[in-house]
mmCIF file of all heavy atoms in Angstrom:
data_model
loop_
_atom_site.group_PDB
_atom_site.id
_atom_site.type_symbol
_atom_site.label_atom_id
_atom_site.label_comp_id
_atom_site.label_asym_id
_atom_site.label_seq_id
_atom_site.Cartn_x
_atom_site.Cartn_y
_atom_site.Cartn_z
ATOM 1 N N LEU A 576 -2.625 24.153 21.387
ATOM 2 C CA LEU A 576 -1.648 25.049 22.014
ATOM 3 C C LEU A 576 -2.427 25.946 22.973
ATOM 4 O O LEU A 576 -3.657 25.823 23.088
ATOM 5 C CB LEU A 576 -0.874 25.865 20.955
ATOM 6 C CG LEU A 576 -1.501 27.090 20.314
ATOM 7 C CD1 LEU A 576 -0.485 27.775 19.424
ATOM 8 C CD2 LEU A 576 -2.750 26.806 19.570
ATOM 9 N N GLY A 577 -1.742 26.823 23.685
ATOM 10 C CA GLY A 577 -2.424 27.650 24.662
ATOM 11 C C GLY A 577 -3.248 28.754 24.018
ATOM 12 O O GLY A 577 -4.405 28.976 24.362
ATOM 13 N N MET A 578 -2.647 29.434 23.037
ATOM 14 C CA MET A 578 -3.331 30.607 22.467
ATOM 15 C C MET A 578 -2.659 31.010 21.153
ATOM 16 O O MET A 578 -1.458 30.778 20.968
ATOM 17 C CB MET A 578 -3.226 31.769 23.454
ATOM 18 C CG MET A 578 -4.071 32.973 23.129
ATOM 19 S SD MET A 578 -4.187 34.041 24.596
ATOM 20 C CE MET A 578 -2.705 34.990 24.418
ATOM 21 N N VAL A 579 -3.474 31.607 20.286
ATOM 22 C CA VAL A 579 -2.931 32.225 19.076
ATOM 23 C C VAL A 579 -3.118 33.733 19.183
ATOM 24 O O VAL A 579 -4.208 34.202 19.511
ATOM 25 C CB VAL A 579 -3.641 31.703 17.804
ATOM 26 C CG1 VAL A 579 -3.281 32.563 16.593
ATOM 27 C CG2 VAL A 579 -3.276 30.254 17.532
ATOM 28 N N ARG A 580 -2.043 34.462 18.940
ATOM 29 C CA ARG A 580 -2.143 35.920 18.785
ATOM 30 C C ARG A 580 -2.029 36.213 17.299
ATOM 31 O O ARG A 580 -0.990 35.942 16.692
ATOM 32 C CB ARG A 580 -0.991 36.633 19.500
ATOM 33 C CG ARG A 580 -1.046 36.563 21.007
ATOM 34 C CD ARG A 580 0.061 37.447 21.591
ATOM 35 N NE ARG A 580 0.208 37.216 23.017
ATOM 36 C CZ ARG A 580 -0.560 37.773 23.951
ATOM 37 N NH1 ARG A 580 -1.531 38.609 23.610
ATOM 38 N NH2 ARG A 580 -0.339 37.513 25.224
ATOM 39 N N TYR A 581 -3.103 36.733 16.739
ATOM 40 C CA TYR A 581 -3.114 36.975 15.295
ATOM 41 C C TYR A 581 -2.826 38.449 15.010
ATOM 42 O O TYR A 581 -3.404 39.341 15.647
ATOM 43 C CB TYR A 581 -4.462 36.567 14.691
ATOM 44 C CG TYR A 581 -4.509 36.901 13.217
ATOM 45 C CD1 TYR A 581 -3.750 36.169 12.308
ATOM 46 C CD2 TYR A 581 -5.235 37.991 12.742
ATOM 47 C CE1 TYR A 581 -3.734 36.497 10.966
ATOM 48 C CE2 TYR A 581 -5.222 38.328 11.405
ATOM 49 C CZ TYR A 581 -4.461 37.583 10.522
ATOM 50 O OH TYR A 581 -4.425 37.926 9.195
ATOM 51 N N HIS A 582 -1.962 38.701 14.036
ATOM 52 C CA HIS A 582 -1.602 40.075 13.663
ATOM 53 C C HIS A 582 -1.997 40.315 12.212
ATOM 54 O O HIS A 582 -1.402 39.725 11.312
ATOM 55 C CB HIS A 582 -0.094 40.287 13.805
ATOM 56 C CG HIS A 582 0.405 40.063 15.198
ATOM 57 N ND1 HIS A 582 0.651 41.086 16.072
ATOM 58 C CD2 HIS A 582 0.676 38.920 15.858
ATOM 59 C CE1 HIS A 582 1.073 40.587 17.224
ATOM 60 N NE2 HIS A 582 1.098 39.269 17.116
ATOM 61 N N GLY A 583 -3.004 41.150 11.995
ATOM 62 C CA GLY A 583 -3.407 41.423 10.621
ATOM 63 C C GLY A 583 -4.448 42.530 10.562
ATOM 64 O O GLY A 583 -5.002 42.931 11.590
ATOM 65 N N PRO A 584 -4.738 43.007 9.334
ATOM 66 C CA PRO A 584 -5.752 44.055 9.164
ATOM 67 C C PRO A 584 -7.168 43.493 9.369
ATOM 68 O O PRO A 584 -7.338 42.286 9.569
ATOM 69 C CB PRO A 584 -5.543 44.501 7.718
ATOM 70 C CG PRO A 584 -4.878 43.356 7.045
ATOM 71 C CD PRO A 584 -4.114 42.612 8.075
ATOM 72 N N GLU A 585 -8.138 44.375 9.267
ATOM 73 C CA GLU A 585 -9.512 43.988 9.604
ATOM 74 C C GLU A 585 -9.954 42.742 8.835
ATOM 75 O O GLU A 585 -10.560 41.838 9.401
ATOM 76 C CB GLU A 585 -10.446 45.163 9.320
ATOM 77 C CG GLU A 585 -11.769 44.965 10.017
ATOM 78 C CD GLU A 585 -12.713 46.104 9.715
ATOM 79 O OE1 GLU A 585 -12.229 47.231 9.481
ATOM 80 O OE2 GLU A 585 -13.931 45.851 9.692
ATOM 81 N N ILE A 586 -9.697 42.786 7.516
ATOM 82 C CA ILE A 586 -9.825 41.529 6.782
ATOM 83 C C ILE A 586 -8.384 41.079 6.596
ATOM 84 O O ILE A 586 -7.584 41.867 6.108
ATOM 85 C CB ILE A 586 -10.470 41.743 5.389
ATOM 86 C CG1 ILE A 586 -11.905 42.183 5.610
ATOM 87 C CG2 ILE A 586 -10.403 40.474 4.556
ATOM 88 C CD1 ILE A 586 -12.654 42.462 4.319
ATOM 89 N N PRO A 587 -7.994 39.992 7.021
ATOM 90 C CA PRO A 587 -8.702 38.762 7.405
ATOM 91 C C PRO A 587 -9.071 38.598 8.882
ATOM 92 O O PRO A 587 -9.670 37.562 9.207
ATOM 93 C CB PRO A 587 -7.704 37.673 7.028
ATOM 94 C CG PRO A 587 -6.408 38.323 6.750
ATOM 95 C CD PRO A 587 -6.557 39.783 6.837
ATOM 96 N N THR A 588 -8.782 39.570 9.760
ATOM 97 C CA THR A 588 -9.051 39.318 11.177
ATOM 98 C C THR A 588 -10.493 38.880 11.421
ATOM 99 O O THR A 588 -10.769 37.940 12.174
ATOM 100 C CB THR A 588 -8.730 40.581 12.009
ATOM 101 O OG1 THR A 588 -7.357 40.935 11.779
ATOM 102 C CG2 THR A 588 -8.925 40.330 13.501
ATOM 103 N N SER A 589 -11.434 39.576 10.739
ATOM 104 C CA SER A 589 -12.843 39.247 10.977
ATOM 105 C C SER A 589 -13.144 37.807 10.538
ATOM 106 O O SER A 589 -13.930 37.099 11.181
ATOM 107 C CB SER A 589 -13.736 40.241 10.225
ATOM 108 O OG SER A 589 -13.365 40.245 8.858
ATOM 109 N N LEU A 590 -12.501 37.387 9.473
ATOM 110 C CA LEU A 590 -12.713 36.006 9.000
ATOM 111 C C LEU A 590 -12.135 34.994 9.990
ATOM 112 O O LEU A 590 -12.717 33.941 10.261
ATOM 113 C CB LEU A 590 -12.052 35.804 7.634
ATOM 114 C CG LEU A 590 -12.670 36.588 6.482
ATOM 115 C CD1 LEU A 590 -11.802 36.489 5.235
ATOM 116 C CD2 LEU A 590 -14.067 36.047 6.199
ATOM 117 N N VAL A 591 -10.971 35.350 10.512
ATOM 118 C CA VAL A 591 -10.334 34.463 11.503
ATOM 119 C C VAL A 591 -11.254 34.341 12.718
ATOM 120 O O VAL A 591 -11.519 33.235 13.216
ATOM 121 C CB VAL A 591 -8.945 35.010 11.915
ATOM 122 C CG1 VAL A 591 -8.396 34.277 13.132
ATOM 123 C CG2 VAL A 591 -7.961 34.896 10.746
ATOM 124 N N HIS A 592 -11.787 35.489 13.146
ATOM 125 C CA HIS A 592 -12.658 35.485 14.337
ATOM 126 C C HIS A 592 -13.956 34.737 14.091
ATOM 127 O O HIS A 592 -14.483 34.092 14.995
ATOM 128 C CB HIS A 592 -12.938 36.917 14.795
ATOM 129 C CG HIS A 592 -11.892 37.387 15.745
ATOM 130 N ND1 HIS A 592 -11.542 38.714 15.884
ATOM 131 C CD2 HIS A 592 -11.092 36.707 16.596
ATOM 132 C CE1 HIS A 592 -10.571 38.817 16.788
ATOM 133 N NE2 HIS A 592 -10.297 37.614 17.228
ATOM 134 N N ALA A 593 -14.463 34.837 12.863
ATOM 135 C CA ALA A 593 -15.720 34.146 12.567
ATOM 136 C C ALA A 593 -15.550 32.645 12.776
ATOM 137 O O ALA A 593 -16.455 31.960 13.224
ATOM 138 C CB ALA A 593 -16.142 34.443 11.131
ATOM 139 N N ARG A 594 -14.368 32.158 12.454
ATOM 140 C CA ARG A 594 -14.141 30.713 12.573
ATOM 141 C C ARG A 594 -13.512 30.352 13.915
ATOM 142 O O ARG A 594 -13.760 29.270 14.447
ATOM 143 C CB ARG A 594 -13.225 30.278 11.424
ATOM 144 C CG ARG A 594 -13.086 28.816 11.352
ATOM 145 C CD ARG A 594 -13.301 28.239 9.958
ATOM 146 N NE ARG A 594 -13.493 26.812 10.122
ATOM 147 C CZ ARG A 594 -14.450 26.113 9.574
ATOM 148 N NH1 ARG A 594 -15.319 26.702 8.808
ATOM 149 N NH2 ARG A 594 -14.548 24.829 9.794
ATOM 150 N N HIS A 595 -12.673 31.239 14.445
ATOM 151 C CA HIS A 595 -11.945 30.939 15.685
ATOM 152 C C HIS A 595 -12.055 32.112 16.653
ATOM 153 O O HIS A 595 -11.126 32.909 16.789
ATOM 154 C CB HIS A 595 -10.475 30.634 15.381
ATOM 155 C CG HIS A 595 -10.307 29.361 14.640
ATOM 156 N ND1 HIS A 595 -10.485 28.128 15.222
ATOM 157 C CD2 HIS A 595 -10.032 29.126 13.342
ATOM 158 C CE1 HIS A 595 -10.310 27.183 14.326
ATOM 159 N NE2 HIS A 595 -10.036 27.753 13.171
ATOM 160 N N PRO A 596 -13.185 32.209 17.354
ATOM 161 C CA PRO A 596 -13.380 33.342 18.265
ATOM 162 C C PRO A 596 -12.353 33.383 19.393
ATOM 163 O O PRO A 596 -12.167 34.427 20.033
ATOM 164 C CB PRO A 596 -14.799 33.107 18.815
ATOM 165 C CG PRO A 596 -15.145 31.693 18.490
ATOM 166 C CD PRO A 596 -14.345 31.304 17.303
ATOM 167 N N GLU A 597 -11.669 32.257 19.634
ATOM 168 C CA GLU A 597 -10.691 32.202 20.724
ATOM 169 C C GLU A 597 -9.393 32.955 20.410
ATOM 170 O O GLU A 597 -8.556 33.162 21.286
ATOM 171 C CB GLU A 597 -10.372 30.732 21.064
ATOM 172 C CG GLU A 597 -9.715 29.922 19.960
ATOM 173 C CD GLU A 597 -10.697 29.312 18.958
ATOM 174 O OE1 GLU A 597 -11.855 29.773 18.893
ATOM 175 O OE2 GLU A 597 -10.306 28.394 18.215
ATOM 176 N N VAL A 598 -9.223 33.344 19.155
ATOM 177 C CA VAL A 598 -7.965 33.995 18.762
ATOM 178 C C VAL A 598 -7.911 35.419 19.309
ATOM 179 O O VAL A 598 -8.890 36.154 19.284
ATOM 180 C CB VAL A 598 -7.831 33.986 17.222
ATOM 181 C CG1 VAL A 598 -6.720 34.909 16.745
ATOM 182 C CG2 VAL A 598 -7.581 32.554 16.751
ATOM 183 N N VAL A 599 -6.717 35.787 19.799
ATOM 184 C CA VAL A 599 -6.505 37.092 20.420
ATOM 185 C C VAL A 599 -5.741 37.975 19.439
ATOM 186 O O VAL A 599 -4.843 37.496 18.741
ATOM 187 C CB VAL A 599 -5.691 36.887 21.722
ATOM 188 C CG1 VAL A 599 -5.176 38.187 22.272
ATOM 189 C CG2 VAL A 599 -6.548 36.146 22.741
ATOM 190 N N THR A 600 -6.113 39.252 19.376
ATOM 191 C CA THR A 600 -5.390 40.141 18.461
ATOM 192 C C THR A 600 -4.481 41.126 19.206
ATOM 193 O O THR A 600 -3.692 41.823 18.578
ATOM 194 C CB THR A 600 -6.374 40.948 17.584
ATOM 195 O OG1 THR A 600 -7.319 41.566 18.446
ATOM 196 C CG2 THR A 600 -7.074 40.058 16.586
#
Side-chain angles (χ1 to χ4, degrees):
L576 79 174
M578 190 164 85
V579 168
R580 291 187 191 278
Y581 176 71
H582 300 261
E585 197 181 330
I586 293 179
T588 303
S589 55
L590 293 171
V591 168
H592 272 152
R594 188 131 195 132
H595 292 288
E597 63 275 18
V598 167
V599 168
T600 52

